[in-house]
Amino acid sequence: MTAAGKHQVSRTDTTRRRSRPVRAGIRDVAAAAGVSITTVSDALNGKGRLPDATRRHVREVAERLGYRPSAAARTLRTGKSGLIGLTVTTYGDEPFTFTEFAYFAEMARAATSAALARGYALVILPATSRLSPVDVWSNVALDGTVVVDPADDDPVVRELARQGLPVVSDGRPAGSLPVTAWVDNDHEAAVLDILDHLAAAGARRIGLLTGTTTDMYTRLSTSAYLDWCARIGQDPVLEAYPAHDPCAGAVAADRLLARPDRPDAVYGLFDPNGTDLLAAARRYGLRVPEDLLLVCCSESTVYASTEPPVTTLSLKPRRIGTAVVQLLIDAIEGVNQDQPVEQVIPTELIVRTSSMRRSPRTTVNPPRSPGQG
Amino acid sequence: MTAAGKHQVSRTDTTRRRSRPVRAGIRDVAAAAGVSITTVSDALNGKGRLPDATRRHVREVAERLGYRPSAAARTLRTGKSGLIGLTVTTYGDEPFTFTEFAYFAEMARAATSAALARGYALVILPATSRLSPVDVWSNVALDGTVVVDPADDDPVVRELARQGLPVVSDGRPAGSLPVTAWVDNDHEAAVLDILDHLAAAGARRIGLLTGTTTDMYTRLSTSAYLDWCARIGQDPVLEAYPAHDPCAGAVAADRLLARPDRPDAVYGLFDPNGTDLLAAARRYGLRVPEDLLLVCCSESTVYASTEPPVTTLSLKPRRIGTAVVQLLIDAIEGVNQDQPVEQVIPTELIVRTSSMRRSPRTTVNPPRSPGQG
DNA sequence: TTGAAAGCGCTAACAT
DNA sequence: ATGTTAGCGCTTTCAA
């Protein structure tokens, strides 16, 4: 008690007394426990060589007073905030694209879990700086940032790098963008795989439903398709639409099947393409997979129970989200410096009826026999 | 220049010189601009009565040095961080439920936009404290928190309230949970509405696909259903399953249609129920809507192009996300104190073929004529 | 109109 | 084994 010191006591007297019950500070705990603030700090943070008795005592007192350390003060002092920025390319006013919902939601979920498990939290930030009058970016102390789909010459990434903050991107950066590390799929290989799969199922002319945006995913996938066509000797049959507009997708799907050189198989690069193509096929009286083979890139489970179920390509967003965060935190904490800075996550093709010309068993037994058999 | 003071100069000499180009601080800007740090602060924050010339000059210098104010220092000094926590009830290890993806993604997106527009950012946090060895909650300075679906006696909410932080919940709190405000739909009215809609379409026995969880949404919706049954004189036909398990949903849908007292209409409380019920109906050879009327609660657009399209109830997550954030920031900033603290957002029933016994036009003309008519 | 100085609450280097 | 002290970088009285 006596050792608590004059400073604390006088401060408590003059500042605290008359105000309403304000959050207890480290000094209050020190005073109540009869130790110095250093001891409190050490006891709570597991530092120093304190006897267990002291440590336990201090913790009890802190608990009793409902003491919560000030995150701001700790951050100011240590230079680490435990906060990781999460940024997604913006279309229009919305922070992320509608068509990428399932992908983004899964990726963000995995990233959140991975971050929390290592004691960090994610802060959602806009890809465009100065969205609001006050720049949110400068209002938050970040230890590093995850950037999803960085633009070709992303100004946010550049600025972050200039500040010396580690940046890890989901999606390989174009050109010389200075990211600390990146995680991505091998989109070209994935597309070639699907085209071969469709060809093996009997496709003679494969169409592509693609986007008008110039992000890496769209660009790589489309050029892989064009290369494949050139190699095989097939004329490309593709329709592009602005991927952020859900209605445009339905129209593009329709347009693709309305062409004179109508494809007998289609790969759609975006999540809703499956249902859109299915609907378009119905409108034209095309049977799937008999008249039209179908694959789309999606993370949604609805394609397991559509009629017919649709073959999908999963980009494994969970694995990507986890990997991105691990790489970032490793960079922040300076561990695993020997780890590769580029990580390629394998994709998974989930083959369902829509791309199986060989097994047209349209009659499926119910899992168990209903009353009326 | 001379006015910059001894302190700054000596610090620059001793601390800065030999280390690598570290972020410029307010003192560096002050020195370079030949003013005091007070003037820099005022110039950058639009405070004080500085002549425009001074203000512009300081801003130029700051820009040139690439000065970024320290968020931690500002937070420590002002007590405001500009950070809002976003918490979702956890099932298992994952921070949020699979079945609520679309709802949550939309709600979070709207909340993020609304927050950014007012200069705040969202931090994703686990509903369960102490998920990781270090408690992330105490590592971040929050101005307030949004809680999605608070538990009946949510310890996180209680602790936050104890700390004097404003808490706004998406979903009305049970009992005496001390939230500052809440936003919710009128789930009971929505369910009654749907049941009446189905009855009007000719349903004689309406079933319910519900959850085993005890959250408010499930509880209110189920009891509204039971009340309706009692009032109408129908025996309840319901199947409950753990909503966080996507496979369990398919099984429950199947079970519901396998019952001896098979319903001729079903309302499913969760997003994937529509596709699951559609698949189950196909297995039992039931035509929708002729043999079975279908409605489910969903935010997904896939139900617009399923076969047949499914009637859905939207909870309007965008409006909820926006409202929740507005109420929270109002509370943080102490404005609009007169605003109601409980806000009910109307739901929207999007009627599609699956619940229209009257208009069985199964043949639809394509939006435009294809080459082969 | 501008500047000096006092901390915000904590951690870490350095006493004792 | 524990305490004293000096800041982290900023905002904010108060004085000039």
Side-chain angles (χ1 to χ4, degrees):
Chain A
M1 272 307 175
T2 56
K6 199 186 305 179
H7 181 59
Q8 288 79 349
V9 170
S10 77
R11 182 176 163 291
T12 301
D13 282 351
T14 56
T15 315
R16 289 288 166 81
R17 273 281 170 71
R18 44 197 116 250
S19 54
R20 57 171 165 67
V22 104
R23 275 177 57 181
I26 196 173
R27 289 183 175 80
D28 303 300
V29 178
V35 296
S36 76
I37 59 170
T38 306
T39 303
V40 174
S41 178
D42 286 351
L44 262 33
N45 297 330
K47 301 264 179 88
R49 299 272 154 266
L50 305 180
D52 264 15
T54 310
R55 191 162 305 227
R56 206 162 35 241
H57 175 227
V58 169
R59 287 192 165 156
E60 258 164 31
V61 171
E63 174 78 12
R64 184 159 51 74
L65 297 186
Y67 168 69
R68 292 281 167 247
S70 150
R74 177 192 271 128
T75 300
L76 181 57
R77 184 61 237 246
T78 62
K80 307 251 129 265
S81 67
L83 257 28
I84 291 176
L86 176 63
T87 293
V88 189
T89 310
T90 307
Y91 296 90
D93 281 344
E94 305 295 348
F96 41 86
T97 312
F98 178 81
T99 54
E100 287 158 3
F101 256 26
Y103 175 89
F104 180 75
E106 294 238 25
M107 183 274 180
R109 182 169 70 131
T112 302
S113 292
L116 291 173
R118 291 185 67 172
Y120 289 74
L122 294 187
V123 184
I124 308 174
L125 291 166
T128 52
S129 204
R130 312 240 162 250
L131 198 159
S132 64
V134 284
D135 181 14
V136 191
W137 279 92
S138 65
N139 267 334
V140 39
L142 297 176
D143 290 345
T145 305
V146 169
V147 179
V148 179
D149 279 339
D152 274 15
D153 198 61
D154 207 306
V156 171
V157 172
R158 293 226 114 89
E159 167 63 15
L160 258 17
R162 199 190 62 69
Q163 287 176 38
L165 281 178
V167 174
V168 177
S169 69
D170 169 0
R172 69 198 73 204
S176 61
L177 208 62
V179 299
T180 311
W182 58 258
V183 180
D184 204 350
N185 310 105
D186 186 343
H187 295 302
E188 292 169 289
V191 169
L192 297 181
D193 222 50
I194 288 167
L195 297 174
D196 287 341
H197 166 75
L198 288 170
R204 307 298 305 266
R205 183 157 56 218
I206 307 179
L208 185 75
L209 203 46
T210 180
T212 48
T213 52
T214 58
D215 57 293
M216 271 297 188
Y217 168 68
T218 307
R219 212 156 43 187
L220 292 176
S221 302
T222 307
S223 73
Y225 168 78
L226 294 174
D227 288 352
W228 186 87
C229 287
R231 183 155 54 79
I232 294 296
Q234 185 212 294
D235 287 334
V237 185
L238 56 82
E239 291 287 341
Y241 73 99
H244 56 273
D245 177 358
C247 298
V251 174
D254 201 271
R255 219 163 49 207
L256 188 58
L257 299 189
R259 292 172 62 130
D261 55 342
R262 176 156 69 196
D264 61 352
V266 178
Y267 175 47
L269 289 186
F270 303 104
D271 203 306
N273 290 164
T275 38
D276 290 340
L277 285 163
L278 232 33
R282 271 197 303 273
R283 281 195 291 274
Y284 293 107
L286 300 171
R287 294 162 307 165
V288 176
E290 290 80 359
D291 307 317
L292 183 71
L293 295 162
L294 228 56
V295 178
C296 78
C297 182
S298 166
E299 310 305 329
S300 171
T301 55
V302 305
Y303 291 118
S305 45
T306 47
E307 174 56 24
V310 173
T311 297
T312 56
L313 178 78
S314 167
L315 303 179
K316 297 288 168 184
R318 307 242 271 268
R319 289 192 55 188
I320 292 186
T322 305
V324 159
V325 164
Q326 299 296 8
L327 285 170
L328 182 59
I329 297 180
D330 285 349
I332 290 169
E333 299 182 346
V335 304
N336 283 340
Q337 296 290 23
D338 50 330
Q339 284 273 317
V341 292
E342 308 175 357
Q343 206 160 308
V344 175
I345 305 292
T347 56
E348 184 188 11
L349 189 65
I350 301 162
V351 178
R352 302 202 182 90
T353 314
S354 74
S355 69
M356 304 193 300
R357 181 91 21 117
R358 296 286 162 255
S359 71
R361 41 172 194 137
T362 47
T363 318
V364 177
N365 293 324
R368 56 157 156 147
S369 182
Q372 44 291 328
Chain B
M1 276 305 177
T2 56
K6 201 187 306 179
H7 181 59
Q8 288 80 351
V9 170
S10 79
R11 182 175 164 290
T12 302
D13 282 350
T14 56
T15 315
R16 290 288 165 82
R17 273 280 168 71
R18 46 197 114 249
S19 55
R20 57 171 165 67
V22 104
R23 274 177 59 179
I26 196 173
R27 289 181 174 80
D28 303 299
V29 178
V35 295
S36 75
I37 60 171
T38 306
T39 304
V40 174
S41 177
D42 285 350
L44 262 32
N45 296 332
K47 301 266 179 85
R49 296 275 154 265
L50 305 180
D52 264 14
T54 310
R55 190 162 304 229
R56 206 164 33 241
H57 175 226
V58 169
R59 287 191 165 159
E60 259 166 29
V61 173
E63 173 79 12
R64 184 159 51 73
L65 297 187
Y67 170 68
R68 293 280 166 248
S70 150
R74 184 202 254 103
T75 300
L76 180 57
R77 186 60 237 244
T78 63
K80 307 249 130 271
S81 66
L83 256 29
I84 291 176
L86 175 63
T87 294
V88 188
T89 310
T90 306
Y91 297 91
D93 282 344
E94 305 295 347
F96 41 85
T97 312
F98 179 82
T99 54
E100 287 159 4
F101 257 26
Y103 175 87
F104 180 76
E106 294 237 26
M107 183 273 180
R109 182 167 71 133
T112 302
S113 292
L116 291 174
R118 291 185 67 171
Y120 289 74
L122 295 187
V123 184
I124 307 173
L125 290 167
T128 52
S129 204
R130 312 241 162 246
L131 197 160
S132 65
V134 285
D135 181 15
V136 190
W137 279 92
S138 64
N139 268 334
V140 39
L142 297 176
D143 290 345
T145 305
V146 169
V147 180
V148 180
D149 279 341
D152 273 16
D153 197 61
D154 207 306
V156 172
V157 172
R158 291 227 115 88
E159 167 63 15
L160 258 18
R162 199 189 62 71
Q163 287 177 37
L165 281 177
V167 175
V168 177
S169 69
D170 169 0
R172 69 198 73 205
S176 62
L177 208 61
V179 299
T180 312
W182 57 257
V183 181
D184 203 350
N185 310 105
D186 186 344
H187 295 302
E188 291 168 289
V191 168
L192 297 181
D193 222 50
I194 288 167
L195 297 174
D196 287 341
H197 166 75
L198 288 170
R204 306 299 305 267
R205 183 158 56 217
I206 307 179
L208 185 75
L209 202 46
T210 181
T212 48
T213 52
T214 58
D215 56 294
M216 271 299 189
Y217 169 67
T218 307
R219 212 157 40 187
L220 291 175
S221 302
T222 306
S223 73
Y225 167 80
L226 294 175
D227 288 353
W228 188 87
C229 286
R231 183 154 54 78
I232 295 295
Q234 184 210 294
D235 287 336
V237 185
L238 56 82
E239 290 287 341
Y241 73 99
H244 57 272
D245 177 357
C247 297
V251 174
D254 201 89
R255 219 163 47 206
L256 189 58
L257 300 189
R259 292 172 62 130
D261 55 341
R262 177 158 65 195
D264 60 352
V266 178
Y267 174 48
L269 289 186
F270 303 104
D271 203 306
N273 290 164
T275 37
D276 289 340
L277 285 163
L278 232 33
R282 272 197 303 274
R283 281 196 291 273
Y284 293 107
L286 300 171
R287 294 162 307 164
V288 176
E290 291 79 358
D291 306 318
L292 184 71
L293 295 162
L294 228 56
V295 178
C296 79
C297 182
S298 165
E299 310 304 330
S300 171
T301 55
V302 305
Y303 290 117
S305 45
T306 47
E307 172 56 26
V310 173
T311 297
T312 55
L313 178 78
S314 167
L315 303 178
K316 297 288 169 184
R318 308 243 271 268
R319 289 191 55 188
I320 292 185
T322 305
V324 159
V325 164
Q326 299 297 7
L327 285 171
L328 182 59
I329 297 180
D330 286 349
I332 290 169
E333 299 181 347
V335 303
N336 282 341
Q337 296 289 24
D338 50 329
Q339 284 273 318
V341 292
E342 307 176 356
Q343 207 160 310
V344 175
I345 304 292
T347 56
E348 184 188 12
L349 188 64
I350 302 162
V351 178
R352 302 202 183 91
T353 315
S354 73
S355 70
M356 304 194 298
R357 182 92 22 118
R358 296 288 160 254
S359 70
R361 44 175 192 133
T362 46
T363 317
V364 178
N365 293 325
R368 58 159 156 145
S369 183
Q372 43 291 328

